[in-house]
Amino acid sequence: MGVISQAGTVVRVNGPVVHLTGLGGTRFEFVEVGDQRLPGEILTVDHDLAVAQLYEYTGGLRVGAPAWATGHPLTVQLGPGLLGGIYDGLLRPLDEAATFLPPRSLTRPATGRHLFSPDTQPGAELEPGDILGHVTGNGDLSHLVAVPTDVGGRVDGIAAPGWYESSHTIATIDGIDVSLTSEWPIRQPRPYRGRNRERVPFRTGQRVLDVLAPIACGSSATVIGGFGEGKTMLLEQLAKWGDADVIIYVGCGERGNELTDLIEELTQLTDPRTGRRLMERTIILANTSNMPVMAREASIHTAVTVAEFYRDMGHHAVIIADSTSRWAEAQRELASRTGAIPAEEGYPADLPASLAAFYQRAGRVTTLGGRDGTVTIVTSVSPPGGDVTEPVSAHTQRFVQAVWSLDRDLAYARHYPAISWLTSFSRDTDAISHWQAAHQDPTWATRRSRLHVLLAEADRLQ
């Protein structure tokens, strides 16, 4: 989207929060502030005063600096070339040297040239979500180019097979040009035709989870545990061995060295599906602890938007976010700087609504084009002192389908994954039992129940 600039002025800088005047604008409108055009979003508008949060460090930003309203919300560019990349929370490419220092202005990924093959003919009548063609070069994962959600009608023309730049027009539909890439607001869920209620197991690659607390494709789960109990290790195992087509790993406020180690492993690890490198179907969103705090808040929405993009192609995408506690802490800092009335432990009162809106974007759906696609969300929560009654842990347990609790004694005994079989649970168990009985294993539920009894008895005897 092009910038529709309306100039304003900075009148106050309070960390990542800036006050702007003469700008106009609406809530969640994307703004650029200062000579370096730092990216941000408007939070509130009161007459001529707009309050915005910036997704970059505001060091050097001064009162009187210019600001621009763009006329559209914060968007990310979606298209071929994302797989295998490392990006920050605004989907800006990061240096492969793992310095994790993104450009300050909002630059778009340089996705280069792609080999496009058309799958339709001029004169065809297409609706939103129908397939125009596909892009090769993504390994065994098909990248489909679909009709945008706001476009439909007669195909006036379509490009011949060949190599094209991302911004090149590959089709014209009812007088509207369509390119290989498109932009989408990160806070707006992508539309679909309907939800698919059939529950199919999501195989995590960890037998203790797949048996005792299984989840379905398109479901949601969270790992809750204190410091040093193996949350990050478990999530990394899910990224490596989970049954998904596309893996989107979000390092939200975690240590940079851990994320660097994960990237190195994914780069070297052979994908059991394709025999290629696992990194080729992985997208890393890095917002580590040494990066701007407010970008953590956007990274979660960016991850879901990218996952929905691949879901609409008929793929199964999994989001692994480590951790939502740091995301909530960013919201708490923002609330304190904007003068919002604090709720429990200083978190904003709308924290439950924010968590619910995030987890609600998981699901198995029938896309606009009639394909079956899923978004599965797996997160971690790091309660201070291991207190699972604190707000983030308590609210998260309300909205997810499964809770995988970690046990400190097991972790200290080097028993990994340190899953507590007494406090972990899944609301998908009954649905998975029915699926197992109908497809391959009628006695699965009985054996699982007996295992639970044995583990409970072992705990009682111990």
Side-chain angles (χ1 to χ4, degrees), residues 76-78 82 91 190 246 248 283 285 301-311 317 361:
V76 292
Q77 189 180 82
L78 304 172
L82 291 176
L91 209 62
R190 291 176 66 89
V246 177
I248 302 167
I283 297 173
L285 298 183
H301 302 288
T302 299
V304 181
T305 301
V306 174
E308 290 174 342
F309 174 63
Y310 284 99
R311 174 205 70 187
R361 292 177 72 170

Side-chain angles (χ1 to χ4, degrees), residues 244-248 307-308 310-311 315-319 374-376:
D245 299 321
V246 177
I247 304 154
I248 302 167
E308 290 174 342
Y310 284 99
R311 174 205 70 187
H315 298 311
H316 176 202
V318 61
I319 298 171
T374 63
V375 172
T376 303

Side-chain angles (χ1 to χ4, degrees), residues 24-96:
T26 59
R27 190 165 188 253
F28 291 135
E29 182 174 348
F30 177 63
V31 295
E32 295 180 329
V33 180
D35 296 329
Q36 294 179 305
R37 302 185 81 94
L38 306 181
E41 284 181 295
I42 293 178
L43 299 175
T44 60
V45 179
D46 184 9
H47 295 88
D48 192 44
L49 181 66
V51 179
Q53 62 174 337
L54 300 188
Y55 295 121
E56 278 295 343
Y57 291 118
T58 54
L61 186 63
R62 56 180 175 78
V63 173
W68 298 269
T70 61
H72 61 78
L74 175 61
T75 63
V76 292
Q77 189 180 82
L78 304 172
L82 291 176
L83 292 178
I86 306 170
Y87 310 91
D88 74 342
L90 304 184
L91 209 62
R92 298 177 296 185
L94 294 175
D95 181 23
E96 293 182 358

Side-chain angles (χ1 to χ4, degrees), residues 420-456:
S420 170
W421 43 76
L422 293 179
T423 56
S424 299
F425 66 88
S426 172
R427 299 183 177 99
D428 285 338
T429 301
D430 289 342
I432 299 300
S433 299
H434 291 312
W435 186 91
Q436 295 281 7
H439 287 80
Q440 58 185 16
D441 195 349
T443 62
W444 184 85
T446 303
R447 299 201 312 276
R448 177 184 175 277
S449 297
R450 174 157 176 74
L451 179 59
H452 258 298
V453 171
L454 290 173
L455 291 173

Side-chain angles (χ1 to χ4, degrees), residues 316-392:
H316 176 202
V318 61
I319 298 171
I320 299 177
D322 186 16
S323 75
T324 51
S325 293
R326 308 291 178 261
W327 174 52
E329 288 169 4
Q331 290 185 311
R332 179 167 62 183
E333 177 174 341
L334 177 64
S336 66
R337 291 183 181 275
T338 56
I341 299 176
E344 303 172 81
E345 299 188 16
Y347 288 104
D350 63 351
L351 175 64
S354 299
L355 288 168
F358 168 57
Y359 287 110
Q360 191 175 20
R361 292 177 72 170
R364 183 178 182 186
V365 306
T366 301
T367 68
L368 294 179
R371 294 171 293 279
D372 181 66
T374 63
V375 172
T376 303
I377 297 178
V378 180
T379 65
S380 70
V381 177
S382 308
D387 179 17
V388 296
T389 64
E390 58 91 29
V392 181

